[in-house]
Amino acid sequence: MRLTALDEEAEAIGLQAGQALAEARAICPTLEVAEEDPQADRRFLEAIADWCDRYTPLVALDGADGLMLDITGCAHLFGGEAALVDDLLARLCQLGLEARGAISSTPGLSWAAARFCRDRVVADGEMIAVLSPLPLGALRIDAGVTAALARVGLKQVGDLLAAPRGPLTRRFGPDLLVRLDQALGREGEAIVPRRPVALLCVERRLAEPIRDEEVILDLTGRLAAGLKSGLEARGEGGRLFELLLFRVDGRVFRIAIGAASPLRDGDRIKALFAERLSVLHDDLDAGFGFEIVRLNVLRSEALAESQGRFGTVAEKGDAALDFVDRVTARFGEGCLVLPVAQPSHWPERASSLAPLAAASALHADKQPGPPVRSERPIRLFAHPEPVEVTAEVPDGPPASFRWRRAQHRVVRAEGPERLAPEWWIDGEEALPRDYFRIEVSAGHRFWLFRQGLYERGADRPSWFMQGIFA
């Protein structure tokens, strides 16, 4: 067992990460340890990332203990870069966390400055001066490469800046100089946000925290009305909205609702969130209240302008869409589904159930319909059920069969309809199927198939029940 993380007191007495627990207890017999839980640490880091959305929507996870924020265009909202990082670190300290942060024009330099020096804001003209005295570990290179560089006398970043680049690349690989150029801004480095960036966003920072659900809904309606002008300017309506509630103690609640058709009307958006909140009422713990409320548009579509009839509340189509939106907001996307044709002739793969909104979008795009097939049964089984068949000739239709402990005598049969296997999915050894439409003496009609062919050397083709006509 080894130490993976230390607090200030443990570092002060000389303990190090990676040190054996027995050795650490020999140094400090009263050492208190807790078992590492990587999944809990990850969830905690993601919770902090949600909290950082108050500063910028572009938040990315950086390893197991860091976050990377792209604050381009956001710093002026907090009084400048220095004020932003000071406010962020002070708020984290109030939450009981010790954090280090730095701002620069490159992610690599910000990473190095936050971990290896005390400079919180690095100007463009100070990049080389700040980076040069730092150890090579500040470049985010492999520990083996760092040790190899140390053996030849290169221990600081400034040593690399003075060394010729050609021999360094040949001996230590290209990644070393790529990391150096990324830190200095010579190579680009993208920050991939952990959540999709909102198309439109409105928020309200409150002087006094709010807790009451009616107040939250009223504020949500006002924020939704504020989105209308932005959506009109784009000629679009929102299809997916997200409400963010920032609690005073740092926890963030995300509530999303979808719409079957593009929306701009603030009252209708408010009504959908009311339906959703009525379901989440017990799970929405306001605590000491919410200090920031934000409404995002995550997905939008073109919305054509139309004139409604005078003296009517809504058209029939609008009423149906409103019903779909309300039911989906209350019970979730999976409560209303539609069958969607899939590009497969295999019966169990020929269609799938998709949420109503997604299925409507596919039909709106005028996707090509399924290939022309013969008659299919009313009910298809998710998994074909085996049957025992007696046939007059091996390749002919069954004369009788036994299914679910009941014997059936065949009076009429149509077929076979041969379906070749999809070798790109099931492999080249997959067997074809011969389908028969069967009518029995009791008047029931079934859809059976024989899997395998006698002439191809199959040991014994098997029979299965695929569906029921009537």
Side-chain angles (χ1 to χ4, degrees), residues 221-233:
R222 297 183 184 182
L223 294 176
L227 288 173
K228 186 174 182 179
S229 59
L231 291 171
E232 287 179 344

Side-chain angles (χ1 to χ4, degrees), residues 387-390 398-410 440-442 444 446:
V387 296
E388 299 176 7
V389 170
T390 301
S400 64
F401 63 91
R402 182 179 180 84
W403 174 58
R404 292 184 178 180
R405 301 181 181 180
Q407 189 73 25
H408 300 276
R409 185 173 62 86
V410 178
V440 299
S441 57
H444 303 297
F446 302 101

Side-chain angles (χ1 to χ4, degrees), residues 165-231:
R165 298 173 66 93
L168 288 176
T169 302
R170 287 192 296 270
R171 183 167 183 178
F172 301 103
D175 292 342
L176 174 62
L177 295 181
V178 168
R179 286 300 193 185
L180 178 62
D181 291 340
Q182 286 178 343
L184 295 175
R186 300 169 183 169
E187 286 277 348
E189 182 178 3
I191 296 177
V192 182
R194 54 189 292 268
R195 293 187 178 276
V197 181
L199 303 175
L200 291 174
C201 171
V202 289
E203 75 173 24
R204 183 72 58 85
R205 295 176 179 266
L206 306 171
E208 293 291 337
I210 59 175
R211 301 179 69 254
D212 188 69
E213 185 175 317
E214 293 183 1
V215 178
I216 295 174
L217 285 174
D218 180 67
L219 185 55
T220 302
R222 297 183 184 182
L223 294 176
L227 288 173
K228 186 174 182 179
S229 59
L231 291 171

Side-chain angles (χ1 to χ4, degrees), residues 211-217 245 247 251 253-255 272-287 290 329-330:
R211 301 179 69 254
D212 188 69
E213 185 175 317
E214 293 183 1
V215 178
I216 295 174
L217 285 174
L245 302 173
R247 206 165 66 179
R251 186 175 178 183
F253 292 88
R254 295 177 179 270
I255 305 171
L272 295 181
F273 277 109
E275 295 287 349
R276 191 62 181 160
L277 288 176
S278 66
V279 178
L280 301 176
H281 179 78
D282 294 335
D283 297 330
L284 190 64
D285 183 9
F290 302 106
R330 178 176 286 270

Side-chain angles (χ1 to χ4, degrees), residues 251-382:
R251 186 175 178 183
V252 180
F253 292 88
R254 295 177 179 270
I255 305 171
I257 57 103
S261 61
L263 290 184
R264 290 179 192 163
D265 183 32
D267 292 336
R268 191 169 172 187
I269 297 172
K270 175 184 174 182
L272 295 181
F273 277 109
E275 295 287 349
R276 191 62 181 160
L277 288 176
S278 66
V279 178
L280 301 176
H281 179 78
D282 294 335
D283 297 330
L284 190 64
D285 183 9
F288 291 103
F290 302 106
E291 59 181 348
I292 301 177
V293 180
R294 179 185 300 168
L295 183 60
N296 294 333
V297 179
L298 300 183
R299 188 170 71 242
S300 64
E301 291 182 3
L303 177 61
E305 300 290 346
S306 61
Q307 175 65 52
R309 296 180 180 178
F310 291 105
T312 59
V313 178
E315 299 289 338
K316 291 184 179 180
D318 295 338
L321 293 175
D322 184 63
F323 167 77
V324 171
D325 291 342
R326 287 179 177 272
V327 171
T328 303
R330 178 176 286 270
F331 301 108
E333 271 193 351
C335 66
L336 296 175
V337 294
L338 281 179
V340 179
Q342 300 295 334
S344 173
H345 58 265
W346 222 241
E348 54 264 34
R349 301 173 186 161
S351 64
S352 63
L353 296 177
L356 182 60
S360 300
L362 289 176
H363 292 306
D365 294 338
K366 296 182 180 180
Q367 297 288 332
V372 178
R373 305 186 182 97
S374 58
E375 184 182 359
R376 292 292 184 256
I378 297 174
R379 179 185 177 189
L380 279 175
F381 297 142

